[in-house]
């Protein structure tokens, strides 16, 4: 993966609403607003969600190899997209880490949710101008 500029990484630390694009079984895109955190060191983007959400269902339907997805954020002329393979993770420590990172970026702790899971995206490509 390419080395990122400090501006690009800072853009992913700022508070921005993002979109997640997954694919429906018929191949059409499903685009929804989400909060995303990006750990460039680990090469992971994380989205917390309910296990019964459509986005989690689309990712799970892809099977163990993961679903091809993209997350994107835009702010004026600045934009950034992360593409990769997503998997739904249910392990409490992974969910807790995703919640911690979400609270740090979005400056609010999400309400407790026993049905919460994390969509982890192994980032394979980065695009944009941060």
């Amino acid at each position: 993966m390419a080395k990122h500029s400090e501006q690009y990484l800072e853009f992913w630390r700022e508070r921005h609403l993002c979109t997640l694009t997954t694919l429906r079984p018929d191949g059409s895109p499903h685009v929804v607003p989400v909060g995303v955190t990006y750990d460039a060191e680990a090469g992971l983007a994380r989205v917390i969600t309910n296990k019964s959400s459509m986005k989690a269902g689309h990712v799970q339907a892809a099977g163990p190899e993961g679903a091809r997805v993209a997350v994107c954020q835009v702010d004026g002329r600045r934009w950034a997209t992360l593409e990769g393979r997503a998997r739904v993770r249910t392990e409490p420590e992974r969910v807790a880490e995703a919640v911690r990172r979400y609270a740090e970026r979005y400056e609010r702790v999400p309400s407790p949710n026993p049905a919460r899971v994390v969509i982890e995206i192994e980032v394979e490509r980065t695009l944009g101008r941060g």
Side-chain angles (χ1 to χ4, degrees):
M1 188 160 354
K3 183 106 170 115
H4 301 297
S5 71
E6 186 52 40
Q7 292 89 351
Y8 190 86
L9 295 175
E10 181 57 36
F11 189 39
W12 278 106
R13 288 189 287 270
E14 295 172 8
R15 188 179 192 278
H16 294 287
L17 186 61
C18 303
T19 60
L20 168 68
T21 303
T22 58
L23 298 177
R24 296 182 181 100
D26 68 1
S28 63
H30 177 254
V31 183
V32 293
V34 293
V36 176
T37 62
Y38 179 39
D39 179 354
E41 229 174 81
L44 284 178
R46 295 174 176 93
V47 176
I48 56 175
T49 189
N50 194 297
K51 68 181 174 185
S52 64
S53 69
M54 293 299 294
K55 57 188 160 283
H58 294 153
V59 170
Q60 288 176 316
E65 62 279 348
R68 302 278 309 151
V69 303
V71 290
C72 183
Q73 65 182 16
V74 177
D75 181 36
R77 301 182 100 193
R78 298 184 306 157
W79 64 278
T81 298
L82 306 173
E83 298 177 2
R85 293 243 175 232
R87 292 173 183 81
V88 173
R89 306 303 299 249
T90 60
E91 300 92 334
E93 66 279 1
R94 288 183 178 269
V95 174
E97 178 63 8
V99 168
R100 182 190 72 75
R101 289 175 178 273
Y102 177 95
E104 185 178 284
R105 181 175 191 199
Y106 292 96
E107 300 174 349
R108 73 172 197 80
V109 176
S111 302
N113 178 357
R116 180 173 288 130
V117 296
V118 59
I119 296 173
E120 285 187 349
I121 304 160
E122 293 177 20
V123 177
E124 297 169 349
R125 179 180 296 148
T126 63
L127 305 154
R129 181 175 58 202

